Amino acid sequence: MFLLREALPTDLDQLRGLARTLNTLNLPDDSARLKRLVQISRESFDGTYRKPRFRDYLFVLEDVAEKRLIGSCLIIAQHGTHERPAVYYDVHNEQKYSSTLDKLIIHRVLQLRFDYDGPTEIGGLILAPEYRAHPLKLGRILSFVRFLFIGLHRDLFRDEVVAELLPPLNDDGTSDLWDCLGRNFTGLNYREADLLSRDNVEFIRNLFPSKPIYTALLPEHVRKIIGVVGEKTVPARRMLEKIGFEWDNSIDPFDGGPTFAVKTDDCAPIINTRRLAYLGPIAQDAAPDGQALVALDTLDKEQPDAEMKPRFQAVYCDYRLAEGGAEINLPDLPGFDALARGAEVGLLPFD
């Protein structure tokens, strides 16, 4: 039995264990940073922050039987602010023609850009390795809980959603693109630059060239990985493409990983998310319509005793649409086990 919910302060030790498997910008292997992230997430869920540039929402996936956190994911309500702009390379083609040689050359060009009023970003998805081949496809469930939440609270998010995907990296976790470009401009290695960028990107703005960079000047093996996802990231790219995401012709300036984007109101799972009434379990003589993520969502309700309780939690279970709502086979979990008929739930059906 698996439960998706917002992260709580009591999750910190297990979150640190998850962070060690990847140690990304969005889920760093650092106790102080994780504690701050959980605090920001809690204050985002309880409505402390009214403006999107302050809000991050951290979700966890719990194996209830094992009492173990096995995954996490994140929504950054606004990626790119006045305080910390999003930085990226715009990738485009530029034509050069010589009449003397009667020769046309199409160059691939990298142009450094900054975004101070950015989109919503989904990121930080980590699933414990031993659960990655689970028949329930837990990685997809973990990823889609973010779209369910955005669909239920569309007004909290921007009009575009982006996802930065991991590129092919070296076995030691370093980036050939960074070694060919960023290291020459900053004197920092990949890990040093990655750590520094978690606080600010001022050094990128002031040390990187503002003029276009022609990729023809880069080694061939570096040119080949620009905008390419790593082998382990291909399933995530395919999933995003299936629900409307496309590469927006930008890459991360540190490692060359591509950014995929979709208009929020064109994203299939956000469109398919709905609020409806719970009508009890599915009748014994009726077949379910399929499986869905079903959420108990109290984000907009007063909860004076909610200090250590999640305002948002979701489960994956069978459902059947019926007149006036949906019949749902809810699990025997706190909150779901005592849900009254007619109570409102959030529902995101799966294919």
Side-chain angles (χ1 to χ4, degrees):
M1 191 177 298
F2 300 97
L3 175 67
L4 294 139
R5 57 172 173 79
E6 67 170 286
L8 302 173
T10 50
D11 296 327
L12 279 169
D13 287 344
Q14 292 198 64
L15 278 172
R16 182 75 188 275
L18 282 174
R20 291 192 185 101
T21 66
L22 200 57
N23 190 23
T24 64
L25 182 64
N26 291 333
L27 195 72
D29 181 15
D30 182 296
S31 294
R33 292 177 185 273
L34 281 175
K35 183 177 181 180
R36 176 60 179 157
L37 175 57
V38 171
Q39 179 184 349
I40 291 173
S41 176
R42 287 289 284 170
E43 292 171 348
S44 299
F45 276 104
D46 71 19
T48 297
Y49 302 122
R50 308 311 301 176
K51 295 182 179 180
R53 70 176 185 268
F54 299 123
R55 296 196 305 266
D56 295 337
Y57 300 89
L58 180 62
F59 303 84
V60 295
L61 175 61
E62 180 181 0
D63 183 334
V64 177
E66 298 294 330
K67 297 182 180 179
R68 177 189 172 191
L69 296 190
I70 62 170
S72 69
C73 61
L74 181 71
I75 305 174
I76 300 171
Q78 182 177 329
H79 174 57
T81 66
H82 296 167
E83 297 84 5
R84 190 192 181 283
V87 57
Y88 60 94
Y89 278 131
D90 174 54
V91 184
H92 62 275
N93 292 332
E94 184 175 306
Q95 297 184 6
K96 295 286 187 179
Y97 175 73
S98 167
S99 58
T100 302
L101 300 177
D102 188 24
K103 189 175 184 67
L104 172 68
I105 297 180
I106 300 177
H107 286 284
R108 209 176 195 193
V109 177
L110 306 180
Q111 177 65 62
L112 192 66
R113 304 285 189 195
F114 296 88
D115 192 345
Y116 298 87
D117 189 30
T120 291
E121 180 186 5
I122 57 171
L125 194 149
I126 296 177
L127 183 64
E130 58 269 37
Y131 286 84
R132 290 174 187 170
H134 196 280
L136 288 181
K137 297 182 178 178
L138 295 175
R140 185 173 73 145
I141 293 172
L142 183 58
S143 179
F144 272 49
V145 75
R146 298 172 296 190
F147 302 119
L148 168 63
F149 186 77
I150 293 172
L152 293 175
H153 299 281
R154 174 64 184 86
D155 59 311
L156 297 179
F157 301 98
R158 311 288 283 175
D159 291 335
E160 184 177 48
V161 180
V162 300
E164 295 181 356
L165 300 184
L166 289 175
L169 296 174
N170 299 321
D171 292 340
D172 61 359
T174 59
S175 162
D176 287 339
L177 180 74
W178 179 262
D179 287 343
C180 286
L181 286 179
R183 186 165 193 159
N184 294 323
F185 302 133
T186 66
L188 302 173
N189 64 39
Y190 178 67
R191 179 56 60 188
E192 291 169 336
D194 182 53
L195 288 172
L196 182 57
S197 72
R198 297 178 186 192
D199 295 318
N200 70 78
V201 293
E202 179 276 336
F203 70 104
I204 297 291
R205 180 168 51 235
N206 288 326
L207 295 179
F208 268 53
S210 58
K211 301 295 183 180
I213 298 172
Y214 290 82
T215 62
L217 301 174
L218 302 175
E220 182 179 3
H221 73 281
V222 175
R223 297 199 300 269
K224 286 182 177 180
I225 63 173
I226 292 174
V228 174
V229 301
E231 182 179 351
K232 294 181 179 179
T233 313
V234 170
R237 186 204 69 201
R238 290 173 177 164
M239 182 273 292
L240 291 173
E241 290 174 333
K242 186 176 180 180
I243 62 176
F245 282 76
E246 296 178 337
W247 182 37
D248 68 356
N249 294 308
S250 73
I251 61 171
D252 185 284
F254 293 88
D255 55 32
T259 297
F260 277 63
V262 66
K263 294 296 182 185
T264 306
D265 295 329
D266 293 336
C267 182
I270 294 175
I271 295 171
N272 293 334
T273 293
R274 68 192 78 176
R275 293 180 184 271
L276 40 71
Y278 168 63
L279 302 179
I282 299 173
Q284 292 185 351
D285 59 348
D289 290 338
Q291 290 74 45
L293 277 175
V294 178
L296 296 183
D297 179 19
T298 58
L299 212 63
D300 300 320
K301 300 176 182 178
E302 290 295 329
Q303 282 187 293
D305 61 342
E307 181 62 27
M308 294 300 292
K309 295 180 181 178
R311 290 180 177 270
F312 177 88
Q313 51 187 338
V315 291
Y316 184 69
C317 53
D318 291 338
Y319 80 100
R320 179 177 180 271
L321 294 179
E323 185 178 353
E327 298 173 346
I328 306 170
N329 290 340
L330 293 174
D332 185 18
L333 290 173
F336 293 94
D337 56 355
L339 194 64
R341 293 175 185 265
E344 183 181 82
V345 296
L347 185 136
L348 170 55
F350 279 59
D351 294 336

